[in-house]
Amino acid sequence: MAQAAAVAKPPAPPRRRRASATPRRLPYLLIAPAALLMLGFIAYPVLSVFYYSLQNYNPTKPWRNGFAGLDNFTRAFAHDPQFWDTLTFSAKWVVVEVGLQLLFGLALALIVNQTFVGRAVGRALVFSPWAVSGVLTSAIWVLLYNSQTGVSRYLADAGLGSYGTSWLSDTSTVFPAAVVADLWRGVPFFAILILADLQSVSRDLYEAAEVDGASRLKQFWHITLPHLKDAIVLSTLLRAVWEFNNVDLLYTLTGGGPAGETTTLPLYIANTSVDAHNFGYASALTTVAFVILLFCSIVYLRLSKFGGESR
C-alpha cells in the first residue's frame, strides 16, 4: 500500500476555463443592426445604378426598355458632346472653387487664430455661412443679383454699370457670379478645419524659430504649412468631391444656364433623369462620374502622400 501511494500520480492542475467569446463579440453585435441598415441604404442604390446603367430604362417609353449592354457608355463617350461640355465645366468649376476657397479659408484661419478683441464674435461671423443650406444660399444670392433690387442697381446709382443688368443672365458674368456665391458658403469650411489644426501647433516651435532669426514668412513656410499638410489635403479632397457633385446651388441660382454655361455633369444627370426620364442613360453617366471621382481621389492621395511624415 505504501509503495502504491508512493507511485500515485499527483493531482492534475485545475483546468482553466475558456474565456467566453461573447464579450469580444458584443460591440460588433450591438452595432450590427445599424451597420446592416446603413449597408442596405447605401448598397442597394449603388447596385441599382450599376444595374440600370446597362439597361434602356425610360418609364414613359416602356416598349424600349431592355438590356442595352455598353450602349449607354458608348453614347456618352462617342455620341454626346454635351457630356464632354459638362465634364469640362465640372473640372473648371472644381479647380476654381476649391483653389479660391482654400486660399481665402487659409487666410481667414490665420486671422482668427490671432488674439484680438472680439475674436469669439469674429469667429462666429466667419463660420456662420457654413450653417446655411445650399438652397437658402442660392435664394440669398438670387436676391443680391436681382437686376431691379440687387447690388447691380446700387452700383448703377453710383455710376458703375447700367440699370437692368442681370449678371446671372449674361454668359460673360454668370460664372464669376456663381463662383462668388459659392465662395461665401465654402470658405468657412476650410477656415474651420485649418483653424482646428492651427491650434494644435506648439508655440515652442515659433519661439525657437524667432530665436534663430526666422522671419514670419519662413515660419509660415517651414512650420505652419508642413503641420497643416494633412488638413489641407483632406479638406481639398472632400470639398472637391462636394463641388463636383454640386447641384443645389447652381440649379437654384442659374438652372444650368444661360445656354448651358453653368451645367455641371451632376446637373446634366439630374436633368436627364428627372426631366427626360432616361434613367438608364443617367445611371451610366452616374457610373462614369463615380469612376472619375474614385480614380482622381486615389491619385490625389497617392501624390500628396496623405498621412505620411512631412519633411
Side-chain angles (χ1 to χ4, degrees):
M1 294 293 294
Q3 185 178 2
V7 298
K9 294 182 179 181
R15 297 180 61 184
R16 298 178 60 183
R17 297 183 61 183
R18 186 176 181 180
S20 175
T22 302
R24 294 197 301 269
R25 297 176 181 173
L26 183 60
Y28 302 100
L29 293 176
L30 292 176
I31 66 174
L36 292 175
L37 191 63
M38 291 182 62
L39 182 63
F41 276 103
I42 296 176
Y44 176 74
V46 171
L47 295 177
S48 297
V49 168
F50 291 152
Y51 170 77
Y52 284 114
S53 67
L54 304 175
Q55 305 290 323
N56 287 322
Y57 182 67
N58 189 331
T60 62
K61 301 176 181 179
W63 58 88
R64 295 185 179 179
N65 294 344
F67 182 72
L70 299 178
D71 290 347
N72 289 325
F73 297 96
T74 303
R75 173 186 171 185
F77 287 103
H79 306 293
D80 187 2
Q82 192 172 359
F83 163 74
W84 293 107
D85 292 340
T86 57
L87 182 60
T88 302
F89 176 76
S90 296
K92 175 184 176 182
W93 174 262
V94 169
V95 171
V96 173
E97 278 292 344
V98 175
L100 292 178
Q101 289 178 20
L102 173 61
L103 180 63
F104 290 119
L106 177 60
L108 276 178
L110 292 173
I111 291 173
V112 298
N113 190 46
Q114 304 299 318
T115 302
F116 55 89
V117 178
R119 184 174 66 171
V121 177
R123 288 181 176 181
L125 293 176
V126 168
F127 300 152
S128 58
W130 179 244
V132 182
S133 67
V135 175
L136 184 56
T137 299
S138 304
I140 294 172
W141 284 94
V142 164
L143 294 175
L144 290 174
Y145 289 146
N146 188 281
S147 59
Q148 302 299 324
T149 60
V151 177
S152 61
R153 177 181 177 179
Y154 294 99
L155 291 177
D157 291 339
L160 302 175
S162 57
Y163 291 99
T165 301
S166 178
W167 294 338
L168 297 178
S169 301
D170 190 341
T171 55
S172 62
T173 58
V174 64
F175 180 73
V179 166
V180 171
D182 200 50
L183 281 177
W184 183 77
R185 183 181 63 165
V187 167
F189 169 76
F190 283 95
I192 292 171
L193 289 185
I194 294 176
L195 176 62
D197 210 22
L198 275 175
Q199 293 179 332
S200 63
V201 183
S202 175
R203 296 301 307 174
D204 295 339
L205 296 176
Y206 294 104
E207 293 175 359
E210 290 178 358
V211 171
D212 292 338
S215 63
R216 288 292 184 90
L217 182 60
K218 289 185 177 180
Q219 292 178 29
F220 174 77
W221 187 259
H222 294 287
I223 299 177
T224 306
L225 273 186
H227 187 86
L228 295 176
K229 174 197 167 186
D230 285 348
I232 291 175
V233 171
L234 180 61
S235 58
T236 51
L237 177 60
L238 291 176
R239 197 61 189 162
V241 173
W242 293 340
E243 289 296 345
F244 184 89
N245 293 319
N246 190 332
V247 172
D248 53 355
L249 185 138
L250 288 175
Y251 182 80
T252 309
L253 201 63
T254 66
E261 287 291 326
T262 58
T263 302
T264 59
L265 181 57
L267 187 54
Y268 178 46
I269 294 172
N271 293 333
T272 302
S273 58
V274 177
D275 296 338
H277 306 288
N278 194 346
F279 293 98
Y281 186 54
S283 298
L285 294 177
T286 303
T287 304
V288 172
F290 170 77
V291 173
I292 292 174
L293 286 177
L294 180 63
F295 174 77
C296 293
S297 299
I298 294 174
V299 171
Y300 181 65
L301 290 176
R302 293 292 299 272
L303 293 178
S304 63
K305 298 180 181 180
F306 177 71
E309 293 184 1
S310 302
R311 294 184 179 181

